Amino acid sequence: MLLNFNSLGSWKWALVAITTLTSAFLLLPIVFIAALSFGSSQWLIFPPPSWTLKWYGALFSDPRWLESAWTSLRIALMVTVLSVVIGLFAAFGLVRGRFVGRDGLRALFMTPMILPVVVLAVALYAFFLQIGLAGTTLGFVIAHLVVALPFSILALTGALEGFDKSIEDAAILCGASPLRAKITVTLPCIGHGLFSAAIFSFLTSWDEVVLAIFMSSPTLQTLPVKIWATLRQDLTPVIAAASTMLILVTILLMLLAAAVKKGLKA
Amino acid sequence: MVASVETEMPALAPPKRRFVPTGFKPTLPALILVLVFFVLPVAILLTRSVTEPVLGLQNYATLLGSATYLKIFVNTFTVSALVTLFSVMIGFPVAWALAIMPRPSANIVFAIVLLSMWTNLLARTYAWMVLLQRTGVVNKTLMGLGLIDQPLMLVNNLVGVTIGMVYIMLPFTIIPLYGAIRRIDPMILQAAALCGANRRQAFTGVLLPLAMPGIASGALMVFVMSLGYFVTPALLGGTANMMLAELIAQFVQSLVNWGMGGAAALVLLVVTLSLYALQLRLFGTAGERS
């Protein structure tokens, strides 16, 4: 009765109304930002008096915004590669290994995900000040790697647990070396896991704000840090343009992920 | 044969000793990373809370004994509790509708939930800063409708923080609640109807109790996540309405007081980890974070 949409009676319309309103609430800020980024009003008047591309012009002609976008991309790509490789090795150990404390180790690997990120940010900042990594690209990559790795390990252990190991053993019986069997048989079979590990790692680093604020220096800023610093001064529509670009990247990656998932199922 | 498959690089592996377990080595890079750049720095920070400026518990005495810091703790817990309450009250009917709606419309709602969740946190917070400001769309709409005469103060206070945080936490509530409701067998509700229960009775007597573990687990997760949130409170709350995560950042960034920063971090850590332990004990899962 209550779990059948058509026999809900008047309750059905209440649920539909709440869901519609909530969807509007969730969509509102995103649509609003995109609209403002094309609006001509410096003071973010809505609806905008007229439409313009000048904020995008300002965004793309300012070397500091471009520099920070390039920094974001560079760091996110390094994090992605390291996170997938280290995560892959860890997943092999966690799924195939037989050793005492394996479940404890798995839990340890997941802790950076539940710890408040501000605690990690402050702790790493102090540590990097002492060992000379504060404000460096390497420090940035390490900090993002610590929070991206759990997602990567989660995706890859899941994929590896779903993979029938006897296929790999068969390849070895047919004469392939264990390493060759892994590369040519196992890796292609867990491709979807590798792919989601990569997307999650990339987005974790690309969108991360809190660690980035502590890892940045005046000469090393990712896009979120640049937005954060600008936001503390004023609400200029250039931020709306930058945010719209970030949202666009997210949508493209989500569509890509959905397409790959669909392709794998077909 | 099989044993050699289980080690990563059999050619380089030393001959096995009796007590060396198999397959441990591939986890070493991740383990070293986590130990050196996670466990060690956090341990050092927490240690500094009892060693700086002098050995002792004076940082904790200051932190837990002053009215200023007490207000920050009260802010943090009040906002987190309100955010949890609103997220669950809005999220539950949406999750319920999603679980039983016709497929095409459910997919659209799902896409909106995911899009909102994956949109950059700063972009979403910026949107709310603009929407909620004195001359913003929300105030203008309410005044246009004649509901208010004066613009409401919606930013630089805890109202703004609560609205912004509910927005951010809603997807984290809807997704696990959806899972919880999908796991309920519709036949049980059918049975309740056959036994003569009306809708209200079936809701309070059957659906709600069956969904309660999922609701409690989701609520606890949202509460814990809210306690440690930094960006949204900092931007929507202003400096006069600080929350715990901002306090930690402020001790370190502006005051360069590592002792107090470490102490505040430990308080947040202890509360967070004990609530997660409670979650594990009650529901056997640490929640679905993403």
Side-chain angles (χ1 to χ4, degrees), chain A residues 49-65:
Chain A
S50 63
W51 304 98
T52 173
L53 284 173
K54 69 176 167 188
W55 311 118
Y56 287 91
L59 185 70
F60 285 107
S61 60
D62 185 340
R64 286 167 306 171
W65 280 105

Side-chain angles (χ1 to χ4, degrees), chain A residues 138-177:
Chain A
L138 181 61
F140 233 119
V141 171
I142 290 173
H144 279 177
L145 187 56
V146 171
V147 286
L149 193 61
F151 290 104
S152 177
I153 292 181
L154 209 57
L156 289 166
T157 46
L160 214 52
E161 270 159 3
F163 168 74
D164 185 357
K165 189 172 170 292
S166 55
I167 303 173
E168 187 181 309
D169 293 339
I172 294 169
L173 284 173
C174 294
S177 73

Side-chain angles (χ1 to χ4, degrees), chain A:
Chain A
M1 170 179 60
L2 290 182
L3 287 177
N4 182 330
F5 193 60
N6 291 318
S7 56
L8 269 173
S10 57
W11 286 30
K12 174 173 159 179
W13 302 113
L15 278 189
V16 169
I18 295 175
T19 307
T20 313
L21 285 175
T22 309
S23 304
F25 174 66
L26 289 175
L27 212 49
L28 171 77
I30 299 169
V31 174
F32 181 72
I33 283 294
L36 275 186
S37 72
F38 295 106
S40 61
S41 162
Q42 167 81 48
W43 312 111
L44 303 154
I45 291 166
F46 194 87
S50 63
W51 304 98
T52 173
L53 284 173
K54 69 176 167 188
W55 311 118
Y56 287 91
L59 185 70
F60 285 107
S61 60
D62 185 340
R64 286 167 306 171
W65 280 105
L66 294 181
E67 173 75 31
S68 61
W70 166 237
T71 307
S72 273
L73 184 66
R74 211 162 31 119
I75 289 174
L77 286 176
M78 284 190 265
V79 170
T80 305
V81 171
L82 287 170
S83 169
V84 171
V85 172
I86 297 177
L88 182 65
F89 276 96
F92 267 106
L94 288 175
V95 174
R96 305 242 176 119
R98 296 285 170 270
F99 51 86
V100 183
R102 194 180 54 159
D103 293 342
L105 192 63
R106 190 186 284 232
L108 175 69
F109 286 156
M110 291 304 129
T111 6
M113 221 155 75
I114 63 165
L115 188 92
V117 70
V118 72
V119 174
L120 177 64
V122 167
L124 267 183
Y125 176 56
F127 188 58
F128 284 173
L129 279 178
Q130 282 170 338
I131 62 171
L133 279 178
T136 64
T137 306
L138 181 61
F140 233 119
V141 171
I142 290 173
H144 279 177
L145 187 56
V146 171
V147 286
L149 193 61
F151 290 104
S152 177
I153 292 181
L154 209 57
L156 289 166
T157 46
L160 214 52
E161 270 159 3
F163 168 74
D164 185 357
K165 189 172 170 292
S166 55
I167 303 173
E168 187 181 309
D169 293 339
I172 294 169
L173 284 173
C174 294
S177 73
L179 185 64
R180 193 183 147 87
K182 281 196 182 64
I183 293 172
T184 55
V185 178
T186 313
L187 287 192
C189 286
I190 59 167
H192 62 288
L194 289 167
F195 184 76
S196 14
I199 293 251
F200 277 119
S201 302
F202 184 89
L203 280 177
T204 301
S205 168
W206 174 257
D207 277 336
E208 206 287 326
V209 191
V210 182
L211 286 165
I213 291 170
F214 283 87
M215 296 304 134
S216 66
S217 73
T219 52
L220 186 74
Q221 295 192 327
T222 55
L223 208 44
V225 177
K226 176 72 182 144
I227 296 180
W228 167 267
T230 315
L231 260 186
R232 303 225 103 180
Q233 288 158 14
D234 68 321
L235 297 176
T236 162
V238 178
I239 300 177
S243 299
T244 309
M245 299 307 295
L246 280 177
I247 296 171
L248 212 61
V249 170
T250 308
I251 293 178
L252 285 177
L253 282 179
M254 272 175 64
L255 288 178
L256 185 67
V260 167
K261 213 172 166 185
K262 214 170 199 173
L264 281 170
K265 269 186 195 155

